[in-house]
Amino acid sequence: SKTEVLINFMVDSINRFANHPDAEIRTQIQNLFGVTEDRIKTILQSQDRIGAFRSLYQEQLNKYARYVRYFEMVDERNKPIYDLFFATSHPLGHERMKEAFWKIDPQAGYRFSDRTDPNQPVLFNLDPSIGVAKLIQNTYSGKTSVSEDVIFYVVNETAYTASHARRALNFLLKNDNISVEKIKKDGSKWSHGFPTGTIIHFLIQQ
């Protein structure tokens, strides 16, 4: 419950050797994923074999860990180098890991892209505030929630961090996309920011 693992996942090599003529090598690929040969054969027929292998590995890791994210490491020319899979069942470990990745200096010659959600890849060296704001809007449109629930959603269900969530909420408030009640959930007065108990009303998306 308090363990984190970071796995170097050489997906290009896996893709190359998955249908190797040597049966022993094919068996090693199957053992890596813990699946049958038929499951691998199904992936080999996929139009996006790389994506299918990533998704399968994530699926298998999710049987043992609550939080599984995977990152594509790319060089300065945006060429993929390898993938990193992170897995843990501890929410704080998940949050701290993402915070560490967001601090990576893009000038170092490499970058990380979160690929966990194929519909929403995230490049870590970009300011994501507006994108996170849109994500929050799409999720909470027309609803009322408290700040900690919105932040919990961003931290645990997306590639982003608590600080990204707060900046996005400030952006939404500044642009009149949300309103905040003057009295918090515990009865105390709201003054600024989004401390625990802040009641937020989200406008319906047009």
Side-chain angles (χ1 to χ4, degrees), residues 117-130:
D117 183 352
N119 298 313
Q120 190 185 60
V122 175
L123 190 60
F124 273 55
N125 66 331
L126 300 177
D127 180 5
S129 300
I130 296 177

Side-chain angles (χ1 to χ4, degrees), residues 24-35:
E24 184 177 347
I25 293 178
R26 296 198 306 272
T27 298
Q28 290 176 7
I29 300 296
Q30 296 164 33
N31 291 341
L32 172 66
F33 291 95
V35 297

Side-chain angles (χ1 to χ4, degrees), residues 6-166:
L6 192 62
I7 303 167
N8 188 343
F9 186 69
M10 307 300 289
V11 67
D12 287 330
S13 298
I14 292 168
N15 184 46
R16 286 201 311 271
F17 289 105
N19 59 349
H20 195 279
D22 187 330
E24 184 177 347
I25 293 178
R26 296 198 306 272
T27 298
Q28 290 176 7
I29 300 296
Q30 296 164 33
N31 291 341
L32 172 66
F33 291 95
V35 297
T36 64
E37 185 177 10
D38 288 340
R39 186 71 184 273
I40 299 297
K41 286 182 177 179
T42 299
I43 290 180
L44 292 176
Q45 297 171 1
S46 172
Q47 291 184 344
D48 179 13
R49 287 164 47 164
I50 295 292
F53 276 125
R54 287 167 167 165
S55 296
L56 175 58
Y57 201 58
Q58 180 187 18
E59 175 188 324
Q60 294 298 84
L61 286 177
N62 265 135
K63 294 178 180 179
Y64 304 96
R66 166 65 179 85
Y67 306 102
V68 177
R69 308 205 68 83
Y70 62 90
F71 310 91
E72 182 181 63
M73 184 177 179
V74 297
D75 62 18
E76 68 277 4
R77 294 170 296 177
N78 213 39
K79 180 181 178 181
I81 304 172
Y82 57 83
D83 291 344
L84 289 174
F85 267 79
F86 176 87
T88 185
S89 290
H90 198 285
L92 183 59
H94 181 221
E95 183 176 2
R96 291 291 183 264
M97 178 278 302
K98 288 194 296 181
E99 290 174 352
F101 274 90
W102 277 102
K103 291 179 181 178
I104 292 173
D105 181 3
Q107 302 304 316
Y110 55 85
R111 296 173 294 171
F112 288 90
S113 175
D114 186 290
R115 311 294 295 183
T116 307
D117 183 352
N119 298 313
Q120 190 185 60
V122 175
L123 190 60
F124 273 55
N125 66 331
L126 300 177
D127 180 5
S129 300
I130 296 177
V132 179
K134 291 180 179 179
L135 180 63
I136 292 174
Q137 274 188 301
N138 291 338
T139 303
Y140 289 91
S141 177
K143 300 178 181 178
T144 295
S145 187
V146 288
S147 54
E148 60 268 30
D149 287 350
V150 178
I151 294 170
F152 182 88
Y153 161 73
V154 171
V155 170
N156 292 284
E157 302 299 333
T158 78
Y160 304 104
T161 67
S163 61
H164 292 142
R166 292 188 177 91

